[in-house]
Amino acid sequence: MLDEHSAGVDSQLLQSFRKPLTEIAEESFTLPSKLYTDPEIYELEKERIFYRSWQLVGHLSCFKEAGDYATVRICDQNVFAIKGQDGILRGFYNVCQHRAHELLPDGTGNISSVIVCPYHAWSFETNGRLRGAPRSGGRADFRREDYSLKEVRTEVFLDCVFVNLDPNADSLSSLAGDLEEDVRERVPFLGNVAPTGTYGEGQIEINAGWKVVVDNYVECYHCDHAHPAFSEIHCMDNYRHDTFGLWARQLCDDLRIQNSAYAFDPKEHCESAFWFLWPNTTLNVMPGPEEINISAIRPSGRDTTLFTGISYSVSGESDQGRDDYVSNTLMPEDVALCESVQRGLKSKGYSQGPVIAEPQRTGRGEHALHHFHRLVKDALFGDA
């Protein structure tokens, strides 16, 4: 049930849909610019999207030994996943139950057997139970069991650890089990990979909101024009883009060995596949040695985003030519596009644009962008 203030905000924001976001992509319009620039929207997104959805923490390779942990910031919420002394993976809010100091530093690490708060040295077991609270014996009513860490839902999916702040959320496997089947079928080496870098190493700051970044990721309408080297690798006439319940997939196996991006052996993995999982997880495979990049598009503010990810390969090493192309050409091209769009969304000369989609749903259309926009609107406003 919405309170009066929330209902009023919803009503005002819905009025910005002056052109309809309809079920049929080729008849629809985009989300209005107000939904990218209004501070009220970012607050709604925290509560109605990011605090209710499954968020990537890290690959299982981060959690080999008891006490191995990885932290993640989900908007204003700092959480961590940790492998307990009993071998069980759990997730907790990264905050001491005494005076709210953050417990573990950003990134990955190992705390041996006890989590110790840097502020007043309260200590917690890896299962979240309070072990010690210095000089707390003076409180007659003090019970350690009252101050366990607050747990969050944790699930292993696609060999990665995800968390969800909503205790009543459906499991990720029930929401997107077909995605896992599809990825494992197309990436048979998934279970045999090792990280090619370190946690947080692939973090990119983008001066654009998270929806702008996702918008750019889920369409290749811009690829012919804005990514010339990418379009030399991929025959765009045979580039496909499909949408499903909470995910979308781009595929191309019609590849050109002669291109200006990077060289690859056609006897190696010879397909590009890019998966998007609502609301902000991506999995990316390009031709060459067996390697997959797993990333998250994390909002760090109303109009700023951190694109964080690590690549994993069978050899444990990255392909230098492919890595150079992605890092030095493809990503900078996309960052520049997103940052320009974010600036343009603030213009008084723009509100909504038409979705460009074709009935045959080719990879050059915006039907997956339309799919994403429908998910955003539904998450924020339901059936309104």
Side-chain angles (χ1 to χ4, degrees):
M1 179 70 69
L2 296 176
D3 59 31
E4 290 186 8
H5 174 71
S6 296
V9 169
D10 286 359
S11 177
Q12 292 176 17
L13 292 169
L14 282 167
Q15 290 177 17
S16 62
F17 285 85
R18 297 178 181 177
K19 297 178 181 178
L21 178 55
T22 61
E23 292 185 8
I24 302 173
E26 50 267 43
E27 297 176 1
S28 185
F29 291 85
T30 63
L31 291 171
S33 58
K34 190 177 181 69
L35 268 71
Y36 293 84
T37 60
D38 194 304
E40 293 274 11
I41 280 290
Y42 182 52
E43 296 305 314
L44 286 179
E45 288 172 346
K46 292 178 189 178
E47 297 295 335
R48 299 182 186 180
I49 296 178
F50 289 98
Y51 300 162
R52 297 181 185 179
S53 61
W54 288 98
Q55 295 292 306
L56 175 69
V57 178
H59 189 263
L60 278 175
S61 58
C62 293
F63 306 95
K64 294 179 179 178
E65 306 294 335
D68 283 351
Y69 71 85
T71 63
V72 61
R73 293 186 183 272
I74 306 169
C75 300
D76 297 330
Q77 303 302 310
N78 190 349
V79 303
F80 66 90
I82 189 167
K83 187 170 186 177
Q85 299 301 314
D86 55 6
I88 297 175
L89 274 167
R90 298 179 178 86
F92 300 99
Y93 286 97
N94 191 12
V95 62
C96 183
Q97 299 302 294
H98 173 225
R99 292 268 300 283
H101 196 285
E102 292 177 327
L103 292 169
L104 297 174
D106 290 349
T108 60
N110 183 284
I111 52 81
S112 183
S113 61
V114 182
I115 303 168
V116 180
C117 179
Y119 200 4
H120 300 102
W122 278 35
S123 59
F124 300 86
E125 308 280 359
T126 55
N127 62 12
R129 294 173 187 161
L130 178 65
R131 172 185 278 195
R135 290 172 289 283
S136 59
R139 289 187 62 98
D141 60 346
F142 189 86
R143 303 190 313 158
R144 292 183 184 179
E145 57 266 33
D146 292 338
Y147 301 99
S148 296
L149 298 180
K150 299 299 187 291
E151 196 162 354
V152 297
R153 292 275 302 282
T154 306
E155 184 174 346
V156 176
F157 184 80
L158 284 168
D159 295 345
C160 292
V161 177
F162 287 78
V163 294
N164 196 318
L165 306 189
D166 180 0
N168 300 313
D170 292 334
S171 69
L172 191 48
S173 58
S174 69
L175 293 170
D178 52 345
L179 168 62
E180 178 148 26
E181 292 176 7
D182 191 67
V183 174
R184 290 194 183 279
E185 178 182 345
R186 297 182 181 281
V187 190
F189 57 86
L190 182 64
N192 300 312
V193 297
T196 65
T198 58
Y199 188 88
E201 183 180 57
Q203 183 167 286
I204 299 171
E205 296 185 46
I206 306 174
N207 290 316
W210 74 277
K211 293 194 299 300
V212 171
V213 180
V214 173
D215 284 351
N216 181 74
Y217 182 88
V218 296
E219 57 93 349
C220 221
Y221 180 41
H222 70 281
C223 290
D224 282 307
H225 182 66
H227 297 311
F230 183 90
S231 299
E232 284 185 20
I233 298 176
H234 305 90
C235 179
M236 297 306 297
D237 289 337
N238 295 315
Y239 196 91
R240 309 193 306 278
H241 206 154
D242 303 303
T243 60
F244 304 87
L246 290 182
W247 59 282
R249 178 192 62 201
Q250 301 175 59
L251 288 175
C252 188
D253 58 8
D254 188 354
L255 307 172
R256 301 185 183 97
I257 300 172
Q258 300 298 320
N259 65 79
S260 62
Y262 67 93
F264 63 91
D265 186 340
K267 295 178 182 179
E268 297 175 316
H269 184 79
C270 208
E271 180 183 62
S272 282
F274 308 97
W275 291 272
F276 166 74
L277 172 62
W278 166 263
N280 62 328
T281 299
T282 72
L283 299 97
N284 312 281
V285 175
M286 292 185 69
E290 295 175 323
E291 183 176 331
I292 184 170
N293 175 274
I294 304 172
S295 297
I297 298 167
R298 304 195 190 282
S300 54
R302 182 185 62 187
D303 50 13
T304 56
T305 300
L306 292 177
F307 192 92
T308 63
I310 307 180
S311 291
Y312 303 85
S313 72
V314 173
S315 68
E317 299 179 355
S318 62
D319 179 70
Q320 194 60 49
R322 178 172 51 198
D323 187 57
D324 287 345
Y325 165 66
V326 172
S327 299
N328 300 325
T329 301
L330 185 60
M331 282 302 299
E333 288 171 349
D334 277 328
V335 169
L337 294 169
C338 291
E339 293 184 344
S340 179
V341 168
Q342 185 66 48
R343 293 190 297 269
L345 286 165
K346 298 176 183 178
S347 171
K348 295 181 181 295
Y350 178 84
S351 176
Q352 289 176 270
V355 173
I356 304 301
E358 303 161 301
Q360 59 268 39
R361 298 293 186 258
T362 71
R364 283 188 169 114
E366 293 180 319
H367 53 280
L369 174 122
H370 171 259
H371 173 255
F372 171 60
H373 285 195
R374 296 273 297 178
L375 289 172
V376 169
K377 185 180 179 184
D378 183 63
L380 293 178
F381 307 115
D383 297 329

